[in-house]
Amino acid sequence: MVPRRPGRRGLSRPIGRRRAAGDTGILDVAGADWGTPTGRSPEEVCRRVLWRDRSFVLLWAGQTVSLVGSQVTVVAVPLVAALALGAGPWEVGVVAACGRAPYLLFGLPAGVWVDRSRRRVVAGVCAVGQAVALAVVPAAAAAGVLTVWLLAAAAAVAGTFAVFGDIAGLALVPMVVPRASLTRAQGAVEAGQATAQVAGPALGGWLVEAVTAAGAVLVDAVSFLVAAVALAWVRVVERPRPGGTVRAGVRAVFGHQGLRRVTLCTATHVFWFNAFTVVLLLHLVSALGFSAARVGVTLSVGAVGGLVGALVAARLGERWGRRRTMVAAVLATGAGQALVAVDALLVGAVALMWFALQVYHVHQVPVRYEAAPAALHGRVNATIRTAVWGTAPLGALAGGLLGDAVGPRATLVVSGLGAATACLWLVRARVG
């Protein structure tokens, strides 16, 4: 029996025990029995442990800051293409596809490379790389040489760094978070993302009008530098092991019934969501005549739903069960996307979409942590990112083609209906 000693505030913890599985060599807070102090529920204990973990807080803060910057770019890049360069739906779709294509091209080998490397270092270096790639856009605009193709190239380079950085960042979460707190931790990550979705578009719209769309992209570049500094202070013991193959990650994902179905569900939704995002800003600017600032405020107000969804997702799952919660969330997300086409329901539809999307993500990400050993997390994340985000460039191109053929409004409706069908993958999924 492992000897125990009392911890602070009545918690008990094991002495000197380390994780047996995987190549991380970190203290096994994930498998520890933290006890239940008098007067405190297990949920409260997990929450307290989570927010006292300095490394998790730094990791969460860095990701959240970079996400705010990325949400600025979500508004700024299409407006650079549409307003400054005169691009139409198809060209905006090409730029979006170039940003997502690296997941399809490099996702699987990136997972092997990340598992053989120190994940914290990889995430930090890639954050700096994204900052440099994005900084090219305002520099080229200032020099008067910015074109749609240069914008697409910058998106592709930034996307390549994002492939490695995202995979490494995801693999860091279960290394610094107790196993019992993984769903809560993912809820916190999604809450940070939702906060970014609330603050980022409004900030982006204001920056586009204040310093031009290209200048607003510079904010995203700075945000990645902030994330790199935060990662430098994260403390985690890593012992990367040479060897390992892509096949191991693919087998871990597609050989597990629940994880396979969740991955295919997410991939289906991402395809239609990217078709949706390509035409959304064009619809708001061209059909509704919104200014950049009004576009940002509209998206920010609607994104409040995402923050609420991230905060209540864990409780919804505890009440309804994970699978039913995920099915309902996917259906609601598709409904929200389709209803954006109804002008009177615009803000409410965006709020519904983000609420449901964050609920889904809070529950789908922990499935991979539970289904795969820690030593494979890099390759598992890479396999999932390749399968999921590999559909993103195809969805962006489909959105551009549909936008040119039937118009942005009809494309919004079609994308919502398509996104709702993703729930069919979950009907018999074994996800707990």
Side-chain angles (χ1 to χ4, degrees):
M1 200 173 165
V2 178
R4 295 181 177 274
R5 62 184 177 218
R8 289 183 295 177
R9 300 187 181 233
L11 294 173
S12 62
R13 57 186 175 87
I15 300 175
R17 189 170 66 181
R18 288 186 175 270
R19 180 176 292 182
D23 55 357
T24 60
I26 62 174
L27 187 65
D28 187 16
V29 293
D33 176 14
W34 290 86
T36 306
T38 304
R40 292 185 189 152
S41 67
E43 288 182 20
E44 184 181 358
V45 173
C46 288
R47 188 162 52 248
R48 287 175 177 268
V49 169
L50 182 66
W51 291 109
R52 289 177 181 174
D53 188 325
R54 177 174 173 269
S55 290
F56 172 74
V57 171
L58 284 167
L59 182 62
W60 174 85
Q63 288 180 343
T64 300
V65 170
S66 67
L67 283 168
V68 171
S70 295
Q71 287 300 312
V72 170
T73 297
V74 165
V75 173
V77 167
L79 292 180
V80 169
L83 300 181
L85 303 176
W90 168 248
E91 289 171 308
V92 173
V94 169
V95 172
C98 287
R100 294 304 187 190
Y103 284 98
L104 186 60
L105 298 175
F106 306 119
L108 289 175
V112 176
W113 193 76
V114 165
D115 277 342
R116 294 175 180 177
S117 309
R118 297 191 181 277
R119 294 161 180 174
R120 182 179 65 87
V121 174
V122 172
V125 169
C126 288
V128 174
Q130 286 176 270
V132 173
L134 290 168
V136 168
V137 175
V145 296
L146 184 63
T147 65
V148 169
W149 303 114
L150 181 56
L151 186 63
V157 174
T160 301
F161 281 112
V163 171
F164 291 85
D166 287 353
I167 291 169
L170 279 170
L172 279 172
V173 174
M175 296 176 67
V176 300
V177 173
R179 189 181 307 277
S181 297
L182 279 175
T183 298
R184 290 284 176 187
Q186 191 58 37
V189 171
E190 297 298 333
Q193 179 172 329
T195 301
Q197 286 161 350
V198 171
L203 178 61
W206 177 79
L207 286 170
V208 167
E209 293 199 347
V211 296
T212 74
V217 176
L218 185 61
V219 173
D220 194 10
V222 173
S223 74
F224 280 109
L225 294 179
V226 173
V229 172
L231 282 164
W233 288 93
V234 170
R235 292 293 175 260
V236 58
V237 178
E238 299 186 73
R239 295 173 183 171
R241 185 186 304 168
T245 62
V246 168
R247 184 180 301 175
V250 174
R251 186 166 55 246
V253 172
F254 290 98
H256 185 280
Q257 193 261 15
L259 187 54
R260 177 177 68 252
R261 286 179 172 268
V262 169
T263 299
L264 293 172
C265 171
T266 309
T268 302
H269 180 264
V270 164
F271 175 91
W272 290 109
F273 186 75
N274 276 265
F276 168 84
T277 56
V278 163
V279 298
L280 175 60
L281 289 180
L282 292 176
H283 172 69
L284 297 180
V285 172
S286 60
L288 302 185
F290 283 13
S291 66
R294 189 175 178 187
V295 167
V297 170
T298 300
L299 296 180
S300 290
V301 172
V304 171
L307 180 58
V308 176
L311 295 174
V312 305
R315 292 181 183 178
L316 292 177
E318 290 161 4
R319 182 173 181 177
W320 295 343
R322 178 181 283 169
R323 184 177 64 82
R324 283 191 292 179
T325 300
M326 292 169 69
V327 169
V330 172
L331 285 172
T333 302
Q337 288 181 216
L339 290 173
V340 167
V342 182
D343 297 346
L345 301 177
L346 175 61
V347 174
V350 174
L352 173 63
M353 179 190 72
W354 283 119
F355 173 87
L357 192 58
Q358 296 295 3
V359 170
Y360 174 75
H361 283 313
V362 166
H363 290 285
Q364 68 95 359
V365 173
V367 172
R368 71 187 70 172
Y369 298 147
E370 297 167 5
L376 288 177
H377 281 169
R379 278 163 284 178
V380 165
N381 287 329
T383 301
I384 293 172
R385 284 295 172 111
T386 301
V388 168
W389 288 109
T391 67
L394 301 178
L397 294 176
L401 287 172
L402 282 170
D404 274 341
V406 300
R409 192 185 298 272
T411 303
L412 294 173
V413 175
V414 172
S415 70
L417 296 175
T421 65
C423 73
L424 296 175
W425 290 109
L426 300 178
V427 173
R428 300 181 65 184
R430 295 192 292 270
V431 293

